[in-house]
Amino acid sequence: MQTFSKILSITALTASLALGLGSIAKAEQKTDFKVAWSIYVGWMPWGYAADHGIVKKWADKYGIKIEVTQFNDYVESMNQYTAGAFDAVTLTNMDGLSIPAAGGVDTTAVIVGDFSNGNDAVILKDKASLADIKGQNVNLVEFSVSHYLLARALESIKLTERDVKVVNTSDADMVAAYKTADVTAVVTWNPLVSTILEDPTAKKVFDSSQVPGEIIDLMVANTGVLKDNPNFGKALAGIWYETAALLTADSADGKAAREAMGQASGTDLKGFESQLVATKLFAKPADAVAFTASGNLPKTMDLVRNFLFEKGLLGNGAPSADVIGIEMPDGKILGDSGNVKLRFTETYMKAAADGSL
């Protein structure tokens, strides 16, 4: 089964920083754009749109060309974006802060596409209570959203990471690892969660629906490129909302789209639809605008930036979680206002909601 890695590693971060800022996408008016995406339920519309003419339709509307490239390696897609090889990329809110933003690339969230609402989970073997995790080795992808979810789960029962031992495990090895006798606790994401839960010993004791809105999936773009080429942002919004409407349609065409996306992600229609159930998808632009403008987003990003700082993932020698500025849609900034590198905007989603694309 094909999976994708929501991996945040020291190695990846170092690679991002080592790529050098001289190659970052230059801000200038242009007509050709490159978009990178990775396999995940909330990002499958990008590949479908590219394969079914929706990308071309919206690019043609604005007199531009958009090349969409699928990456099997999620970290590599972010590294390539950070190096300037791509103008836009799909990533999570946490990874956007720790890799391109920490790597010095001013990045804007064009589309807030969804948040994980059960796709990420803590699973114990033969134990049905989260409290039973105390003292156990916990297998997960270190510094990933799984690591973040573990921290939030432990916090919910007044434990800390000192009460467990994290065992760094590749997502590619997670299912096999769970089947071994010495692995008794894992934290991972779909479709791995669904596969592991097929084992009768597996008990889900915490999932991302208990921290709603915190693991957010985005389409981001280089801020300078977006500023000089607003039609690129408009085209991305048009592509997303047309495809998301099809994805959620209760029709033969909608079913066919879901089936195609499921097959492309390594599962079938049933498997893909089960993952959609655990995803709060913002198929309607007005819903995305409301979520992005809510008071919860600054609180979430504050949690995320402090987690990353504690793990040393905001850059070598970062003095505090304030080292990188994060701009909210209302212009308010978390952190250093002189070093804003991650921005949330309603602009393009609102244009879609207003019918002005």
Side-chain angles (χ1 to χ4, degrees):
M1 178 177 290
Q2 188 176 20
T3 63
F4 98 114
S5 303
K6 284 187 175 178
I7 301 170
L8 233 184
S9 67
I10 293 292
T11 302
L13 180 61
T14 303
S16 295
L17 296 173
L19 287 166
L21 303 186
S23 59
I24 289 170
K26 291 184 174 63
E28 59 185 11
Q29 289 190 339
K30 57 183 192 173
T31 58
D32 290 43
F33 301 89
K34 297 178 71 175
V35 175
W37 72 283
S38 303
I39 296 288
Y40 174 66
V41 58
W43 294 330
M44 296 312 298
W46 294 103
Y48 183 89
D51 292 341
H52 291 80
I54 300 173
V55 169
K56 185 178 186 304
K57 169 187 169 181
W58 284 92
D60 286 350
K61 177 174 181 175
Y62 290 106
I64 60 178
K65 293 182 179 179
I66 299 176
E67 179 184 347
V68 176
T69 301
Q70 177 192 325
F71 277 75
N72 293 328
D73 185 329
Y74 173 54
V75 170
E76 182 60 18
S77 71
M78 292 187 292
N79 285 344
Q80 289 287 325
Y81 165 78
T82 302
F86 288 83
D87 302 291
V89 65
T90 54
L91 45 68
T92 68
N93 54 323
M94 190 171 89
D95 298 340
L97 181 58
S98 68
I99 295 187
V105 180
D106 195 328
T107 294
T108 296
V110 179
I111 306 290
V112 176
D114 70 85
F115 65 76
S116 176
N117 200 32
N119 272 317
D120 299 77
V122 180
I123 299 170
L124 299 184
K125 185 176 288 182
D126 290 320
K127 301 288 184 181
S129 170
L130 176 59
D132 292 321
I133 201 170
K134 187 174 182 179
Q136 294 203 43
N137 291 343
V138 182
N139 293 69
L140 53 75
V141 177
E142 197 171 20
F143 308 131
S144 71
V145 291
S146 295
H147 204 155
Y148 175 80
L149 187 69
L150 173 66
R152 295 290 282 129
L154 293 171
E155 182 182 292
S156 74
I157 54 171
K158 296 180 170 54
L159 297 180
T160 71
E161 205 172 310
R162 291 188 294 274
D163 294 302
V164 299
K165 182 181 178 182
V166 169
V167 179
N168 188 25
T169 307
S170 167
D171 59 315
D173 299 329
M174 197 67 68
V175 173
Y178 181 81
K179 293 178 180 178
T180 63
D182 57 342
V183 173
T184 58
V186 301
V187 189
T188 190
W189 53 79
N190 265 323
L192 305 179
V193 167
S194 296
T195 301
I196 292 170
L197 288 176
E198 291 172 0
D199 189 311
T201 68
K203 311 295 180 185
K204 182 171 68 173
V205 295
F206 192 89
D207 68 34
S208 51
S209 69
Q210 291 163 265
V211 286
E214 293 187 21
I215 300 174
I216 310 169
D217 299 306
L218 310 168
M219 169 60 78
V220 304
N222 179 287
T223 299
V225 170
L226 202 58
K227 183 179 179 181
D228 286 355
N229 302 274
N231 282 345
F232 176 48
K234 292 177 182 178
L236 290 176
I239 293 163
W240 171 257
Y241 289 113
E242 178 172 337
T243 314
L246 183 60
L247 168 64
T248 55
D250 184 15
S251 65
D253 287 344
K255 181 180 178 181
R258 291 189 293 276
E259 188 164 26
M261 292 184 208
Q263 290 175 350
S265 64
T267 185
D268 55 15
L269 176 63
K270 182 179 178 181
F272 187 70
E273 289 183 336
S274 71
Q275 291 174 43
L276 276 176
V277 170
T279 306
K280 175 56 179 177
L281 190 77
F282 295 118
K284 296 180 180 179
D287 293 340
V289 170
F291 175 81
T292 307
S294 77
N296 290 327
L297 183 60
K299 295 175 185 176
T300 292
M301 292 311 299
D302 192 45
L303 287 169
V304 167
R305 70 187 187 129
N306 279 289
F307 171 81
L308 293 173
F309 173 68
E310 289 166 7
K311 299 300 177 186
L313 295 169
L314 291 181
N316 293 330
S320 74
D322 286 332
V323 66
I324 298 171
I326 307 168
E327 184 177 82
M328 296 297 144
D330 62 2
K332 291 181 181 177
I333 295 170
L334 287 176
D336 186 354
S337 60
N339 186 39
V340 176
K341 296 298 180 187
L342 184 61
R343 306 169 193 267
F344 289 88
T345 181
E346 305 168 6
T347 302
Y348 303 98
M349 298 180 292
K350 194 171 188 306
D354 294 342
S356 57
L357 288 179

